[in-house]
Amino acid sequence: MSYTRLTAPVPQVWLVQFPVAANQSAGYPVQGTIIPNPESPQYTASVYTVDSDAVFYIYNVYAPSTTALAGLDGVVKFKVNGVDQNVKFGPLSQTIPSQYHIQTPPPIVVPPAGRVEIFLVLLTNNGTAAVTVNAVVNVMKSPIGYSGKVYRP
């Protein structure tokens, strides 16, 4: 089997899990665990290095359901190569598909071999039990130098 080079943008879905400690207060940034391929959940990373042969565009973040929020709310922020992107998605409670949709900010560009970190900044205090908040991140993987049209799914 031979490898075929990427010639056009390809959408990807990343899952992110934010483990929130018991009694965690609002304003605290919780680092997420990124699952870049939900079909192979055994690979996870708190700092994810993207492929070296493509540019990645992070264009949407949402909570898949109210259950995924585990009774909490927050905004999602990103660091690329250790630099805060000063862009936030959320509050997550307003991104649930059945309640769609708040306006999304401009895409975050991740250069080839860039490192991505994702944080949930809590807007509410957590109770006495540790919980996990889940989010979905929509990403477009584009070949280096691609200049054609990009269609978001």
Side-chain angles (χ1 to χ4, degrees), residues 22 45 53 61 65 68 102 109 113:
D53 64 347
V61 178
S65 68
I102 62 170
V109 179

Side-chain angles (χ1 to χ4, degrees), residues 18-32 72-77 118-126 131 133:
F18 300 98
V20 181
N23 301 311
Q24 195 63 64
S25 59
Y28 186 83
V30 178
Q31 186 164 12
L72 296 175
D73 201 5
V75 294
V76 176
K77 296 184 80 176
I118 306 176
F119 296 87
L120 175 69
V121 179
L122 297 174
L123 297 176
T124 53
N125 296 326
N126 189 22
V131 296
V133 174

Side-chain angles (χ1 to χ4, degrees), residues 14 34 36 43 45 47-52 56 81 110-116:
W14 296 349
I34 303 166
Y43 178 77
V47 179
Y48 178 58
T49 302
V50 300
D51 299 345
S52 61
F56 286 70
N81 294 330
V110 183
R115 296 178 324 279
V116 178

Side-chain angles (χ1 to χ4, degrees), residues 65-152:
S65 68
T66 53
T67 307
L69 294 175
L72 296 175
D73 201 5
V75 294
V76 176
K77 296 184 80 176
F78 291 82
K79 284 187 180 180
V80 175
N81 294 330
V83 178
D84 186 348
Q85 295 303 293
N86 209 20
V87 173
K88 60 184 177 185
F89 291 84
L92 281 179
S93 63
Q94 297 177 18
T95 66
I96 299 165
S98 64
Q99 300 172 354
Y100 236 50
H101 201 310
I102 62 170
Q103 184 176 358
T104 58
I108 295 170
V109 179
V110 183
R115 296 178 324 279
V116 178
E117 297 171 86
I118 306 176
F119 296 87
L120 175 69
V121 179
L122 297 174
L123 297 176
T124 53
N125 296 326
N126 189 22
T128 57
V131 296
T132 299
V133 174
N134 295 294
V136 176
V137 177
N138 293 120
V139 180
M140 188 67 68
K141 178 182 178 181
S142 182
I144 297 171
Y146 179 80
S147 61
K149 292 189 177 205
V150 176
Y151 300 97
R152 290 196 223 183

